[in-house]
Amino acid sequence: MGSEPHRNHRATTARAGIGPFDLRPLLHGVPLSENGDEEGIQINCVEYLDGNLYVGTTASELLHFFGIPPDPTDPNQSPTFILASRLKPASSETTGAPNGSRPGVQQILLLPRVAKACVLCNSTVSFYSLPELSPVFGTTVRNCNWIGGVDLNEDLTGPGHDRSGSVTILLHLNRKIRVVRIGDDAPRVYRTIDYAGSTLSVRRDSFACVADSRSYALVDIDRQLKIPLMSISSLDDSQPGGPFGQAQNIAGPPDGGLFRSASTASPRPPADTHGHSRSTSLGDFISRGMQRRQGEADDPVFQDTDAPTPTRSPAPGEDGPNRTQQNGSPQPREISAAQAAAANPPSRTMSPARPEPILLKPLIVSPTAEEFLLVTGTGPLDPGIGMFVNLDGDPTRPTLEFDRYPREIVVDGGLIDASSSRPSPGDGEEGYVLASMAKELEDGLHNGLEIQRFDVNVGEDEPEKWWLEVDNTSTEEAPGNTPIGVRSLLQSEEMHFEQIVQRLWQRRFSPFKGQSATPTISLKSNDSRTALSLQRLTQEQELFNRDESDDEVLPPEWEANRNKEGEEFVRRLAKTSSRLAVWAGSNIWWAVRNPLFVQLEATLDATASREQQSYPDTLETRLQIFSLLETIKGREPKTELEFMTLGYIKQRASIMLLVAFLNSTESSFTEAQTAAMEEHLLGGDLDARVVLSLIPALRNEIIVSRRGIWIYGGIKTVVEEYISREQDGLENQGVSSLSPSVLQFLRRFLTATRKKKGFGSISDEVFRTVDASLLLVLLELDKETPFGQIGRSGSVRKELYELVDHGVDCFDRAVDLLETYQRFFVLSRLYQHKKMAGEVLATWRRIIEGEEDKGGELGDGEQRIRSYLSNISNQALVQEYAIWLAARNPKLGVQVFADEKGRFPKFEHGQVVALLREEAPDAVAYYLEHLVFGKGNTAYVNELITYYLDIVITDLQSSQDTREMVAASYEAYRALHPPKPTYIRFLSDNAPPDNDVWQSRLRLLQLLSGGHDYNATAIRRMIDDSLAIIPQPNSHPDTEPNGANTLRHQLLVPESIILAGRARQHTDALRLLVHRLGDYDTAVSYCLRGGAALSAGSRNKRRDSDSSLPPTYEEQVELFRSLLHEFLGLECPEEKVERTGNLLERFGGWFDILEVLEVVPEEWPVETIAEFLVSGLRRLVAERCEGMVARALSGAENLRVGYEFVEAVAEKRPVVDFGDGGGGGDNGVEMEGALQVGEGWGEYVQAGGRLG
């Protein structure tokens, strides 16, 4: 509970919930006065156990309240306390003292293990039973300064270490400390320690930290040793009984037995009794009734320097007679707060006289099992110093600094703390010190609690502190003017945080304005970008819901059951316990440790309330939110509640920043801030649909299943509040209305969200929504990309391609969006990912046939289709689009059918030819070319030749220019000087590349001269018949003298030559070569090689007919003779002489000299054929010489053979065989006539004998 909201100028005052602690009402309006007519009564001490609240007042009354548990069905209800009894404990009466001078009930010590209570009232200890506070033992102890010293290492509610079940406490008398055991029987003193004037002690095991009015000391109660520590006031120069830090023996005389009652006790002088409040770990409390009985505003932490006893200083005149009678010393001088302030102004001007030290109230707490925290200072208005010492008296931690010397201190938490306000979940529990004090603020003096950590080492940095005040708006006192008491209670109380429950309770969220269910109707918008596909999208949504309902039938009360389960789950986590009580006036509060959730959300609420906005509109506020997010970044949650807390805070803070971003100008958010916002949005694991619901232009892309969207209740409230303030009609503006910065943010955020695909905790509807939204954003951003540009690395278009290439979950919606944006190429890529080959090809065909594609990325669409067809296996689909492609681009279409590496089953050649003839006639020739030239299939040669001839002849028939061009090509070829290429090579080099007629003629010549087996006669007839209708020039006859068609020989000369050679009409072929083309080299080659000479590179070609076989020698002689006659028939004399002489010189061996001399004109000079004659004569002489040599060689060979024969006969020796009746031997000669054996071998040969 913090200060009022209007006090924002006080920087030290924490807003409710921002600090680590907050105040919750425990009991308000405590009836301090029995009759209600007494004023000035204050609460001195408070204790709590098992729903019983015990309140001690300055009126010497002990109030017992019984708590009635709240209704379990009402989580917001708190326990109700009713007054069970009003008890006046036994106390010492001071003779002559005013009635209001007594401190009242100073200490309440509950001992639940033995069901007893010890109450210190006006320096008298009484004993009662629990919980009804009935007197027990019949014993009281007078002149007691303090009661406590319970071992904090033991649990008082458990059995303890003492088998007897008793509890050991310390009674601080004026001159001694008695160690008392309290059980079911009367209390027994089993040890007495000589320690005069002790007023406070805190014990751990056998070690107690004890304080008197001036100093602190450690006491070992078992060995009765004392180690003096430091003075309470650093200005106090008085020394204790021994040196600091050295152990002293403080054993007293043996004492034991039962306490004697007040009536039987030995007479002792009345002690100067003062009230102290007991705390097992936090020290005593100050009686405020003593200072207020005369209307003074004295600070209760003062003590007079002349006090004869080490008890707390009373108010002026309090117990004055008793003190004078006992000690014989003057009454101590009291210093009020006003006097102290006057004596010690803030400027602290130096005084030449040394100020008299002021006794400060000792404060001791034990934060851990091995440490004590002691407070020292110089004055009540000066800062206090907290020092940590261990059980040996050595410092353990850095010191703490309090802005002013505290009235009271308590500790909460730490490593091991049995008195923590809530159970410690682990070693990381934070430890806090709460100090009650008065602090001077801008608007005056305020009482409150200063809170700081004691378990962190801040080094040289300023430690973080929080200031907490109580809310006294229900009383007549000014806020902050009431002194505050604080105490650590014996037992903690569990309490819930309804705020956490309401914020973290998962609720169903509807992203659509003004609707709570899944809104299929909300998809009907007037967005210009989605108007064409709204009906289809609605049907998709209905289909989705119908499919889900078929798969899973939701029970009627499923939503209510889920709400109930979610609430119960969070409620189990959203609870804590507290054992710190704070009081002021007549009100008591719990000091509750704020969970991390409350602290962080309070910070966010503070930023929102500061600007009266739900989002941070200023840079300073945004920086505060970013700073808050950085503090929790990377923090590992230790509990389930903390895990949910960190996620919730990230989500809410990120939404606040996002709303500010959406409402900001272009330059409000820096790139770093935008990136940080995106990081925290993703880190908070917020449903992306919630983010998109904040953007009206994308809200219609959200897909919600029957189960809906479930988010934290706090997030739901924030988002719905923002949506409710939107102007109507924003959903209809479309994505184009978003700024570039918002589009870029959505691009990055949605892309990062898609990387979470596969997470089981994220539903499919999220990714369907994300994919559709991201596609829409990228399409809008890609409108700025130049037309036809391919996707470069890092570009929007590249991301668009990657999105569709990897597949989207919202396939139908993606198709609608791409159709709407006319991005057909991207649509085809989407189809490719789905392996929908038919749709891919259909989309490309739409683009090629003229439908506008806004991106223009298809490029050469026909080539892309041709390549794609090779990669699919659907033969029917390949056939459909190959024929379509062949009709548009015959070459590409034929490539599909001719592709041998395609994945589809291969087509039959006849089937393809038939299909092309019917659907794409222009592609037939290309396919036939593939079959003939590529595959070597001669079955279609005649058809292909006919096709080419039809093209060539048709053009010749219809175009005079073509005929003149053909004739001109012959003239140009004849004009070339030798050596010159063949006419086919000449025609190939000079034919127009884009003229199909000329290319067809080249193909025709290639086929005719290629050695294929075709019907040459039919082709010649077709040529003659076709050219016959062409009118002849007036100067040319229709036929030549030999009957040849003149026009065919004029227009299709190379074709006529090839056909003549195929028909073995060599004379006609040579005549055309020599006279029509002037291709003399080819004519000579024709004589040597026959028809094979008419095609370049034909030596390596297959010969399918006998006409392509090379001529024999006799045929060559005849061909050369014909060629000689053709050369002699040339019209140009010079060319005639040159060609004839060259022919006879190079190929004279094929000519007869006499025949040549007969045909060569007599008028030619001998030099023309001189080389031929010389070579001929030389050849004749060489032939004669060769004949003579051959005859000589034959004669010598005959002699050698005859000699070898004679030798063989001599070796064999002849044998005579007389037929049937003759004898014989191993060797002999068979005779057919009467021959004489032994005659010459010539005679034997003539006789026809043979060797046996």
Side-chain angles (χ1 to χ4, degrees):
M1 182 179 302
S3 299
E4 296 179 6
H6 66 275
R7 294 177 180 169
N8 294 332
H9 63 279
R10 286 160 41 195
T12 58
T13 300
R15 179 183 174 88
I18 293 181
F21 285 85
D22 202 358
L23 300 181
R24 284 196 174 190
L26 174 58
L27 178 60
H28 282 187
V30 177
L32 300 178
S33 172
E34 184 176 3
N35 300 323
D37 54 354
E38 296 185 32
E39 297 181 358
I41 301 177
Q42 301 291 330
I43 298 175
N44 272 350
C45 52
V46 176
E47 192 54 272
Y48 181 81
L49 178 65
D50 295 335
N52 295 276
L53 179 64
Y54 305 95
V55 180
T57 70
T58 57
S60 300
E61 291 182 339
L62 179 59
L63 307 181
H64 174 205
F65 295 90
F66 176 73
I68 301 176
D71 184 1
T73 62
D74 187 1
N76 297 321
Q77 191 175 7
S78 301
T80 302
F81 288 91
I82 60 174
L83 182 62
S85 64
R86 184 185 294 268
L87 180 66
K88 291 184 178 293
S91 60
S92 299
E93 297 293 339
T94 303
T95 305
N99 187 30
S101 64
R102 296 181 299 174
V105 178
Q106 301 163 264
Q107 175 75 351
I108 303 173
L109 180 61
L110 302 182
L111 306 175
R113 186 188 301 168
V114 294
K116 301 296 187 294
C118 304
V119 179
L120 176 63
C121 179
N122 296 327
S123 304
T124 301
V125 179
S126 303
F127 300 93
Y128 301 90
S129 63
L130 291 178
E132 71 280 359
L133 296 182
S134 299
V136 294
F137 304 144
T139 302
T140 60
V141 180
R142 299 180 183 276
N143 302 321
C144 183
N145 299 327
W146 175 259
I147 180 172
V150 178
D151 186 5
L152 298 182
N153 291 341
E154 293 187 8
D155 183 8
L156 291 180
T157 60
H161 302 295
D162 193 343
R163 294 181 180 179
S164 64
S166 61
V167 179
T168 301
I169 65 172
L170 301 180
L171 292 178
H172 295 252
L173 305 179
N174 288 338
R175 293 180 177 85
K176 298 180 182 296
I177 298 177
R178 293 188 182 274
V179 183
V180 180
R181 286 181 177 174
I182 299 178
D184 294 335
D185 299 331
R188 293 181 178 272
V189 178
Y190 76 96
R191 185 172 287 116
T192 299
I193 303 173
D194 287 336
Y195 197 116
S198 61
T199 60
L200 178 64
S201 66
V202 176
R203 183 164 67 95
R204 292 283 187 179
D205 198 10
S206 64
F207 295 93
C209 186
V210 183
D212 56 20
S213 61
R214 293 180 178 273
S215 63
Y216 299 104
L218 282 177
V219 177
D220 188 339
I221 62 175
D222 290 340
R223 295 184 292 175
Q224 299 195 30
L225 297 177
K226 170 185 175 183
I227 302 177
L229 297 177
M230 72 287 294
S231 299
I232 299 175
S233 174
S234 59
L235 300 179
D236 188 1
D237 294 336
S238 62
Q239 297 295 329
F244 285 110
Q246 296 184 5
Q248 304 173 12
N249 192 338
I250 54 174
D255 193 4
L258 293 173
F259 276 166
R260 290 172 294 175
S261 64
S263 60
T264 61
S266 60
R268 296 180 181 176
D272 200 14
T273 58
H274 308 284
H276 300 274
S277 60
R278 195 282 295 168
S279 172
T280 59
S281 63
L282 306 175
D284 63 284
F285 290 89
I286 302 169
S287 172
R288 290 163 179 80
M290 297 168 55
Q291 289 77 20
R292 290 175 175 79
R293 61 183 179 86
Q294 295 179 349
E296 299 177 0
D298 295 344
D299 195 310
V301 299
F302 303 172
Q303 291 188 7
D304 190 81
T305 58
D306 297 330
T309 61
T311 58
R312 180 180 56 84
S313 301
E318 177 179 304
D319 293 344
N322 292 340
R323 182 181 297 109
T324 303
Q325 295 173 7
Q326 176 180 346
N327 300 318
S329 59
Q331 183 176 349
R333 178 177 57 87
E334 289 294 326
I335 302 177
S336 66
Q339 292 170 341
N344 299 277
S347 61
R348 291 186 176 89
T349 57
M350 298 300 296
S351 173
R354 181 178 181 82
E356 185 176 356
I358 300 175
L359 296 182
L360 301 175
K361 178 181 178 180
L363 300 173
I364 306 173
V365 292
S366 179
T368 66
E370 301 291 334
E371 288 179 304
F372 296 103
L373 171 59
L374 318 174
V375 182
T376 66
T378 58
L381 302 181
D382 297 329
I385 301 298
M387 302 182 64
F388 295 89
V389 296
N390 58 18
L391 301 182
D392 296 327
D394 299 325
T396 58
R397 301 175 187 258
T399 59
L400 297 179
E401 180 179 353
F402 303 97
D403 290 353
R404 281 195 180 186
Y405 194 88
R407 290 192 180 94
E408 306 286 348
I409 62 170
V410 293
V411 292
D412 186 69
L415 185 62
I416 301 175
D417 181 18
S419 63
S420 174
S421 66
R422 61 175 181 173
S424 176
D427 295 341
E429 176 73 8
E430 299 91 346
Y432 290 92
V433 175
L434 291 78
S436 172
M437 65 178 66
K439 182 181 293 188
E440 189 71 31
L441 301 179
E442 295 180 3
D443 56 350
L445 191 67
H446 284 257
N447 289 277
L449 297 176
E450 183 183 80
I451 306 171
Q452 60 181 311
R453 292 279 297 273
F454 70 80
D455 57 348
V456 293
N457 185 5
V458 297
E460 297 180 356
D461 297 333
E462 186 72 18
E464 186 177 11
K465 297 181 181 180
W466 296 268
W467 179 250
L468 182 62
E469 294 183 10
V470 300
D471 185 6
N472 282 339
T473 55
S474 60
T475 66
E476 297 179 356
E477 299 183 25
N481 290 343
T482 306
I484 295 178
V486 59
R487 179 188 181 97
S488 180
L489 304 180
L490 178 64
Q491 189 179 62
S492 62
E493 178 72 6
E494 186 180 272
M495 53 195 69
H496 293 82
F497 287 87
E498 192 63 26
Q499 173 189 2
I500 298 179
V501 175
Q502 296 301 324
R503 300 295 192 278
L504 296 184
W505 178 7
Q506 292 274 341
R507 304 290 186 90
R508 189 176 185 183
F509 167 70
S510 174
F512 304 98
K513 187 174 182 180
Q515 297 184 15
S516 58
T518 304
T520 55
I521 191 173
S522 66
L523 301 174
K524 300 179 180 180
S525 68
N526 295 325
D527 190 343
S528 59
R529 287 295 179 188
T530 58
L532 299 179
S533 59
L534 290 179
Q535 182 179 1
R536 183 174 180 179
L537 184 61
T538 303
Q539 294 173 353
E540 176 192 352
Q541 181 77 11
E542 294 173 352
L543 178 62
F544 171 77
N545 291 334
R546 183 170 63 254
D547 292 342
E548 183 178 5
S549 63
D550 293 339
D551 296 338
E552 180 182 8
V553 178
L554 299 178
E557 302 296 330
W558 72 270
E559 185 173 353
N561 293 335
R562 177 165 179 174
N563 282 327
K564 182 179 179 181
E565 293 173 359
E567 181 184 8
E568 292 175 352
F569 172 74
V570 179
R571 196 171 295 281
R572 285 196 300 267
L573 301 176
K575 61 183 179 181
T576 187
S577 60
S578 176
R579 65 191 323 142
L580 299 181
V582 177
W583 62 86
S586 61
N587 300 325
I588 307 175
W589 296 267
W590 290 106
V592 182
R593 179 82 70 92
N594 274 331
L596 180 64
F597 177 92
V598 176
Q599 299 180 47
L600 296 178
E601 190 180 47
T603 303
L604 293 179
D605 289 338
T607 59
S609 62
R610 186 180 299 114
E611 299 181 7
Q612 301 300 320
Q613 297 266 1
S614 60
Y615 60 89
D617 194 32
T618 63
L619 176 61
E620 179 183 359
T621 308
R622 292 200 300 269
L623 293 178
Q624 291 177 359
I625 296 180
F626 280 121
S627 177
L628 173 65
L629 290 173
E630 285 298 320
T631 59
I632 63 176
K633 181 180 179 181
R635 176 169 177 169
E636 292 295 333
K638 301 174 184 177
T639 63
E640 194 165 6
L641 177 61
E642 191 169 337
F643 173 80
M644 298 173 65
T645 295
L646 296 178
Y648 170 84
I649 293 301
K650 289 178 183 178
Q651 292 180 13
R652 184 183 172 190
S654 301
I655 286 179
M656 294 173 66
L657 292 172
L658 176 60
V659 173
F661 175 74
L662 296 176
N663 291 275
S664 65
T665 59
E666 293 289 337
S667 59
S668 296
F669 273 70
T670 64
E671 292 184 3
Q673 291 176 349
T674 306
M677 178 185 65
E678 297 168 6
E679 179 183 359
H680 293 299
L681 272 174
L682 294 170
D685 294 329
L686 179 63
D687 193 317
R689 293 174 292 181
V690 179
V691 176
L692 296 177
S693 68
L694 298 172
I695 305 174
L698 293 176
R699 194 172 296 156
N700 286 334
E701 301 300 331
I702 297 176
I703 297 176
V704 183
S705 68
R706 288 185 179 274
R707 288 192 172 272
I709 304 174
W710 292 81
I711 59 176
Y712 293 127
I715 303 300
K716 177 177 182 291
T717 302
V718 172
V719 176
E720 288 180 347
E721 179 185 356
Y722 174 75
I723 294 177
S724 64
R725 293 201 304 265
E726 285 181 359
Q727 298 179 1
D728 294 334
L730 291 180
E731 298 90 344
N732 303 330
Q733 293 183 1
V735 116
S736 58
S737 62
L738 299 178
S739 64
S741 60
V742 174
L743 290 174
Q744 292 293 343
F745 155 73
L746 290 170
R747 167 191 174 187
R748 295 186 295 267
F749 170 74
L750 295 174
T751 300
T753 303
R754 291 189 77 247
K755 297 179 181 178
K756 297 182 180 181
K757 282 191 176 183
F759 289 12
S761 59
I762 305 178
S763 64
D764 295 337
E765 296 82 26
V766 175
F767 294 115
R768 294 177 63 191
T769 301
V770 168
D771 287 351
S773 301
L774 179 58
L775 178 60
L776 185 57
V777 170
L778 292 178
L779 287 173
E780 189 64 30
L781 288 172
D782 194 53
K783 291 166 63 177
E784 304 299 327
T785 305
F787 183 83
Q789 185 181 94
I790 60 175
R792 300 176 180 176
S793 178
S795 65
V796 175
R797 184 158 293 180
K798 182 66 173 180
E799 290 188 24
L800 181 60
Y801 291 167
E802 291 177 352
L803 174 63
V804 297
D805 289 347
H806 290 84
V808 293
D809 294 346
C810 58
F811 178 76
D812 292 338
R813 179 56 177 160
V815 172
D816 292 338
L817 290 174
L818 293 171
E819 290 277 2
T820 302
Y821 275 82
Q822 293 182 285
R823 298 301 301 273
F824 300 120
F825 178 74
V826 182
L827 177 60
S828 69
R829 296 183 72 124
L830 178 63
Y831 286 138
Q832 286 186 62
H833 174 75
K834 289 287 188 179
K835 301 186 182 303
M836 302 171 65
E839 285 73 8
V840 173
L841 295 169
T843 305
W844 286 346
R845 180 163 65 179
R846 291 169 60 187
I847 301 175
I848 295 172
E849 291 179 348
E851 196 164 350
E852 183 182 7
D853 179 26
K854 296 291 186 181
E857 309 105 302
L858 182 63
D860 188 351
E862 294 177 351
Q863 181 61 45
R864 191 181 293 271
I865 289 180
R866 181 258 174 278
S867 301
Y868 187 74
L869 289 174
S870 300
N871 297 322
I872 61 177
S873 57
N874 189 332
Q875 189 184 49
L877 197 61
V878 172
Q879 174 180 322
E880 176 186 354
Y881 281 91
I883 292 176
W884 172 83
L885 187 60
R888 292 183 56 88
N889 191 330
K891 291 182 179 180
L892 283 179
V894 168
Q895 289 178 13
V896 178
F897 290 111
D899 190 359
E900 296 183 354
K901 297 181 180 180
R903 298 175 58 185
F904 54 87
K906 301 302 178 286
F907 294 91
E908 295 292 337
H909 299 322
Q911 176 189 3
V912 175
V913 172
L915 288 173
L916 293 178
R917 283 175 178 168
E918 181 179 355
E919 303 291 343
D922 295 340
V924 174
Y926 295 100
Y927 187 70
L928 294 177
E929 288 176 358
H930 161 70
L931 295 178
V932 174
F933 297 112
K935 306 294 292 184
N937 191 338
T938 60
Y940 297 94
V941 171
N942 287 318
E943 185 174 357
L944 187 59
I945 291 175
T946 303
Y947 173 79
Y948 289 141
L949 273 177
D950 183 64
I951 294 176
V952 174
I953 293 176
T954 300
D955 188 64
L956 290 174
Q957 290 174 345
S958 60
S959 175
Q960 177 65 29
D961 294 338
T962 301
R963 296 194 293 270
E964 293 177 356
M965 188 181 299
V966 171
S969 67
Y970 298 150
E971 295 294 335
Y973 183 75
R974 280 197 298 268
L976 294 177
H977 296 285
K980 55 184 177 180
T982 64
Y983 180 77
I984 296 178
R985 179 63 180 273
F986 170 79
L987 185 64
S988 176
D989 294 340
N990 294 276
D994 54 347
N995 193 313
D996 293 338
V997 176
W998 286 88
Q999 297 300 323
S1000 298
R1001 189 181 182 194
L1002 287 174
R1003 287 287 190 176
L1004 174 63
L1005 293 173
Q1006 184 178 355
L1007 284 176
L1008 293 176
S1009 62
H1012 301 290
D1013 188 11
Y1014 54 85
N1015 191 344
T1017 303
I1019 294 173
R1020 292 182 65 182
R1021 186 182 305 108
M1022 175 182 176
I1023 294 175
D1024 292 340
D1025 295 342
S1026 300
L1027 295 180
I1029 62 175
I1030 300 177
Q1032 291 281 354
N1034 297 331
S1035 58
H1036 295 278
D1038 291 340
T1039 59
E1040 293 182 342
N1042 58 0
N1045 187 295
T1046 305
L1047 191 57
R1048 171 165 56 84
H1049 291 170
Q1050 287 181 353
L1051 297 178
L1052 300 177
V1053 176
E1055 292 84 353
S1056 299
I1057 294 173
I1058 295 172
L1059 292 174
R1062 178 61 68 95
R1064 308 190 70 82
Q1065 298 176 359
H1066 303 304
T1067 303
D1068 292 343
L1070 290 174
R1071 183 186 310 109
L1072 293 174
L1073 284 171
V1074 174
H1075 297 286
R1076 294 297 185 188
L1077 292 181
D1079 190 358
Y1080 309 122
D1081 293 336
T1082 302
V1084 173
S1085 178
Y1086 184 86
C1087 295
L1088 294 174
R1089 299 166 54 199
L1094 299 177
S1095 176
S1098 60
R1099 293 181 180 179
N1100 299 327
K1101 289 188 176 295
R1102 182 182 58 173
R1103 295 180 174 88
D1104 296 334
S1105 61
D1106 294 339
S1107 62
S1108 299
L1109 296 176
T1112 62
Y1113 178 76
E1114 290 76 10
E1115 292 176 343
Q1116 291 178 346
V1117 171
E1118 185 66 26
L1119 290 174
F1120 275 113
R1121 185 181 297 113
S1122 299
L1123 181 60
L1124 177 62
H1125 287 286
E1126 296 300 332
F1127 281 166
L1128 293 175
L1130 291 174
E1131 296 180 359
C1132 179
E1134 293 81 2
E1135 190 172 12
K1136 181 192 303 183
V1137 172
E1138 180 182 0
R1139 291 294 101 200
T1140 302
N1142 182 270
L1143 177 64
L1144 294 175
E1145 180 181 350
R1146 294 175 57 196
F1147 303 99
W1150 277 269
F1151 293 96
D1152 185 82
I1153 297 178
L1154 295 178
E1155 291 181 0
V1156 172
L1157 293 176
E1158 290 177 358
V1159 296
V1160 172
E1162 298 179 356
E1163 64 272 13
W1164 282 12
V1166 178
E1167 291 81 0
T1168 304
I1169 58 173
E1171 291 294 333
F1172 166 71
L1173 295 176
V1174 171
S1175 61
L1177 292 175
R1178 287 176 178 173
R1179 186 170 58 257
L1180 291 175
V1181 172
E1183 290 176 356
R1184 181 175 176 277
C1185 293
E1186 290 175 358
M1188 293 175 62
V1189 171
R1191 286 192 297 273
L1193 292 175
S1194 297
E1197 185 177 6
N1198 290 333
L1199 289 175
R1200 181 178 59 78
V1201 172
Y1203 174 77
E1204 293 175 352
F1205 178 75
V1206 172
E1207 289 294 329
V1209 170
E1211 291 178 0
K1212 297 284 186 178
R1213 291 181 299 178
V1215 176
V1216 178
D1217 184 6
F1218 293 98
D1220 296 337
D1226 294 334
N1227 299 313
V1229 178
E1230 180 182 356
M1231 304 295 294
E1232 294 182 0
L1235 298 176
Q1236 297 292 330
V1237 179
E1239 295 180 356
W1241 62 274
E1243 295 175 350
Y1244 169 74
V1245 174
Q1246 292 177 1
R1250 64 179 187 272
L1251 296 175

